Amino acid sequence: EVQLLESGGGLVQPGGSLRLSCAASGFTFSSYAMSWVRQAPGKGLEWVSVISGSANNTYYADSVKGRFTISRDNSKNTLYLQMNSLRAEDTAVYYCAKEVLYYFDDWGQGTLVTVSS
Amino acid sequence: AIQLTQSPSSLSASVGDRVTITCRASQVITSALAWYQQKPGKAPKLLIYDASSLESGVPSRFSGSGSGTDFTLTISSLQPEDFATYYCQQFNTYPLFGPGTKVDIK
């Protein structure tokens, strides 16, 4: 059974940093691209970033480019999202998701990031 | 950039009703379109991929169709557990989600 477990969310001040983690199990982690998708309170889904299985390729939404960094450690079956220069509009539940071709077939339960002073 | 719209944005329906949700793209897209169901406080769940392929374990009352710019998700007989928000998702340069359709109890 695929399991994705996010952690690292919390309350941070504007301009601050936070690192999210997503521990994966139940599948060959290194064989799949992984994404972060976020959802602001009461809003829809927004794709944030993707990393290839080998970690050779990364892509970002324009809204986070230059501030967020996605990475992975295939030896630890863990996905990361380093978030710097956080803004109020980054407040959201952040989900990690396993990607198959272009769609997301497994999701974590999400971790809440609140950016507020 | 491609934009996705969904209609209606919300609907009220009764158990047993046939429900159809439309996802429209601002330009012709491939059949690389997926549908997700999300219940409050929960992660999205994949229902349909490649416009019409049913994800394993998803009840057969869910179906998808469409091509070009217009796609539909149909629930043939709405069940109590189907009250949720539904999102379409397409991939062009990057994954893009529609704004969602909330299905609630009439």
Side-chain angles (χ1 to χ4, degrees):
Chain A
E1 178 192 5
V2 172
Q3 290 194 345
L4 298 170
L5 185 61
E6 301 95 337
S7 60
L11 176 64
V12 61
Q13 292 188 340
S17 297
L18 212 55
R19 188 197 199 199
L20 306 183
S21 299
C22 171
S25 61
F27 64 103
T28 305
F29 184 66
S30 60
S31 295
Y32 292 90
M34 297 292 295
S35 277
W36 289 97
V37 177
R38 69 184 181 183
Q39 186 170 36
K43 302 297 184 182
L45 300 167
E46 179 190 17
W47 171 79
V48 172
S49 181
V50 63
I51 185 167
S52 63
S54 63
N56 287 343
N57 297 294
T58 59
Y59 300 94
Y60 300 91
D62 288 343
S63 58
V64 306
K65 199 173 295 182
R67 300 187 299 122
F68 290 11
T69 302
I70 191 171
S71 62
R72 65 193 296 162
D73 185 336
N74 286 341
S75 69
K76 296 182 178 179
N77 288 353
T78 302
L79 174 72
Y80 303 101
L81 186 67
Q82 178 67 43
M83 304 185 296
N84 298 332
S85 303
L86 283 162
R87 307 166 180 168
E89 54 265 36
D90 295 319
T91 294
V93 174
Y94 285 73
Y95 297 100
C96 65
K98 173 172 159 280
E99 191 168 318
V100 177
L101 296 177
Y102 67 89
Y103 55 88
F104 308 105
D105 64 343
D106 289 287
W107 299 64
Q109 86 291 346
T111 187
L112 176 62
V113 172
T114 303
V115 184
S116 175
S117 55
Chain B
I2 291 178
Q3 296 182 16
L4 295 179
T5 58
Q6 287 184 234
S7 60
S9 56
S10 65
L11 67 91
S12 296
S14 301
V15 172
D17 283 353
R18 181 182 182 88
V19 169
T20 298
I21 299 169
T22 297
C23 178
R24 178 163 290 167
S26 57
Q27 58 187 271
V28 174
I29 62 175
T30 68
S31 61
L33 186 113
W35 289 95
Y36 301 86
Q37 176 194 66
Q38 187 180 33
K39 296 179 180 179
K42 300 295 186 182
K45 173 187 174 183
L46 177 67
L47 300 175
I48 301 285
Y49 61 94
D50 290 348
S52 60
S53 296
L54 192 67
E55 172 70 348
S56 176
V58 173
S60 59
R61 63 181 180 273
F62 291 93
S63 64
S65 64
S67 63
T69 59
D70 294 332
F71 299 83
T72 59
L73 172 70
T74 299
I75 309 172
S76 60
S77 178
L78 198 67
Q79 297 302 300
E81 59 268 30
D82 300 337
F83 292 98
T85 299
Y86 294 85
Y87 294 93
C88 60
Q89 179 244 320
Q90 190 270 342
F91 178 86
N92 188 17
T93 306
Y94 53 85
L96 176 66
F97 292 91
T101 295
K102 184 177 181 180
V103 177
D104 61 21
I105 301 172
K106 192 172 187 178

